[in-house]
Amino acid sequence: AGEVIPSDQEFWLDENWNMVAYLPMFELPASAPDYYVLSPIIDNVLIAKDGDGNFMLPAFEFSNMPTWRETQGYKIKVNRDVLFSYPPELRDEDAVNNYSIFYNTQQRTDSNMSLLVKGKLLKEGTVIKAIDLHGNTVGQITSDGNSAGISIWGDDLTTGQKDGLVNGETFQLYVHNMKFTPTIFHMGSDLIFEKDGFIVCDIAPDAGVPTEYYLSEAYPNPFNNKTIIKYGLPESGLVSIDLFDISGRLIENLLGSDVKAGYHFFELNASSLGSGLFLLKVDVNGFSSVKKLIMIK
């Protein structure tokens, strides 16, 4: 049967991600602000999470993780190589069970990223959903306060259906079915899926209409077949979006129709084209902007 490994056995965690077994035969709390289970190395912990997508972000004083317990495995990302051993058992039952309960109702897959949403608009009972560009829910949680940790689930490639996001895919946030827009990114720069990545942002209701015309850089860029284009219109107008090769030859008119004022995006599928440098041009109401696109196959 093998020898039992002592609960305080020291072992090395390598810089970046580590998958670790839980050695103690007793539970240890992972709640903020103490993060007791990882307290010996907490200054080196960037993020830790369990198989349900619950996670801790010590730098942002957040954890929605229940107590760590035997039979479970956990993922820990550290900022350098560090020697670790689990701390001793706590005898205070209240301390062991003192954690906030969050309700993550999205079906799990084998990959996810972590999103911490903050803002005074969040209250106990607030339902937050992450929705992909096709209207599918890829993350959902019920918050108990003015911050919430959401697991954004990746696609399980072994199934015959789309049940999550792939790297580089964009998603949106809805609070009680109203679209909300990040106002500040503390970590990350956009709502874009990256396996094992994490985003921290504040949210506010979508303002609905930008104050000026804009065309954002495509993401991802360089890209493989597909990329997301975002643009904004302070006024409605006839929008023309064209794709050119580097010599200026028109390849395709991607859009030529009236579009209402607001924030807009579309997915460019260039799978029929070969690798190379392309130009994307937007014209509307006298506004014109060009962005370079690089496709790599």
Side-chain angles (χ1 to χ4, degrees):
E3 297 183 2
V4 175
I5 302 176
S7 63
D8 61 352
Q9 174 69 48
E10 290 187 316
F11 56 93
W12 282 98
L13 297 178
D14 297 328
E15 182 180 353
N16 213 335
W17 281 107
N18 299 263
M19 175 65 79
V20 301
Y22 187 67
L23 302 182
M25 300 181 68
F26 45 82
E27 295 185 0
L28 291 174
S31 57
D34 299 323
Y35 317 100
Y36 183 74
V37 65
L38 296 180
S39 56
I41 58 166
I42 198 60
D43 290 341
N44 302 110
V45 175
L46 300 175
I47 184 173
K49 58 184 180 179
D50 61 20
D52 292 322
N54 302 306
F55 61 92
M56 66 166 69
L57 281 174
F60 294 92
E61 301 181 348
F62 175 83
S63 174
N64 62 1
M65 300 191 79
T67 54
W68 289 26
R69 56 188 176 86
E70 57 185 312
T71 76
Q72 300 300 299
Y74 298 89
K75 295 183 74 171
I76 307 171
K77 185 176 185 180
V78 291
N79 59 10
R80 65 176 180 86
D81 296 349
V82 61
L83 189 63
F84 173 62
S85 63
Y86 289 101
E89 182 178 10
L90 287 175
R91 299 298 180 180
D92 183 349
E93 183 175 349
D94 290 337
V96 173
N97 295 317
N98 181 24
Y99 63 89
S100 300
I101 300 176
F102 290 69
Y103 304 95
N104 197 331
T105 57
Q106 177 65 15
Q107 182 177 354
R108 293 182 296 169
T109 63
D110 62 355
S111 66
N112 64 69
M113 74 176 298
S114 305
L115 170 64
L116 176 59
V117 177
K118 304 169 66 180
K120 296 180 180 179
L121 295 170
L122 301 182
K123 302 185 182 344
E124 183 176 357
T126 299
V127 177
I128 307 172
K129 291 183 179 182
I131 308 291
D132 70 11
L133 302 186
H134 306 286
N136 303 308
T137 299
V138 292
Q140 179 174 329
I141 205 164
T142 301
S143 174
D144 74 344
N146 61 3
S147 64
I150 310 172
S151 298
I152 311 298
W153 293 97
D155 191 26
D156 184 349
L157 300 179
T158 65
T159 67
Q161 61 185 22
K162 192 174 188 302
D163 40 24
L165 301 173
V166 296
N167 280 345
E169 192 170 356
T170 300
F171 60 94
Q172 300 172 329
L173 289 179
Y174 286 79
V175 178
H176 292 309
N177 296 320
M178 179 184 297
K179 183 182 175 183
F180 273 57
T181 299
T183 55
I184 299 174
F185 281 93
H186 303 278
M187 290 293 297
S189 59
D190 208 342
L191 298 178
I192 296 172
F193 182 80
E194 178 188 358
K195 181 181 177 182
D196 287 331
F198 57 96
I199 297 172
V200 181
C201 65
D202 295 344
I203 62 171
D206 196 333
V209 178
T211 58
E212 58 185 19
Y213 295 95
Y214 72 86
L215 172 64
S216 297
E217 297 290 343
Y219 189 91
N221 191 27
F223 66 100
N224 181 356
N225 293 334
K226 295 181 180 180
T227 189
I228 299 298
I229 310 295
K230 293 184 177 182
Y231 64 97
L233 310 177
E235 298 177 342
S236 300
L238 177 61
V239 177
S240 177
I241 302 180
D242 296 305
L243 185 66
F244 300 87
D245 64 18
I246 192 59
S247 66
R249 179 178 62 90
L250 177 64
I251 296 175
E252 183 180 356
N253 175 248
L254 302 172
L255 181 67
S257 62
D258 290 317
V259 178
K260 294 182 179 179
Y263 298 90
H264 303 278
F265 62 87
F266 69 94
E267 181 180 69
L268 171 63
N269 186 341
S271 57
S272 62
L273 302 177
S275 299
L277 178 63
F278 300 90
L279 301 175
L280 185 85
K281 183 179 181 183
V282 170
D283 289 291
V284 55
N285 296 341
F287 168 81
S288 182
S289 181
V290 176
K291 298 294 183 183
K292 292 182 180 179
L293 305 178
I294 302 173
M295 187 165 71
I296 300 175
K297 289 189 174 182

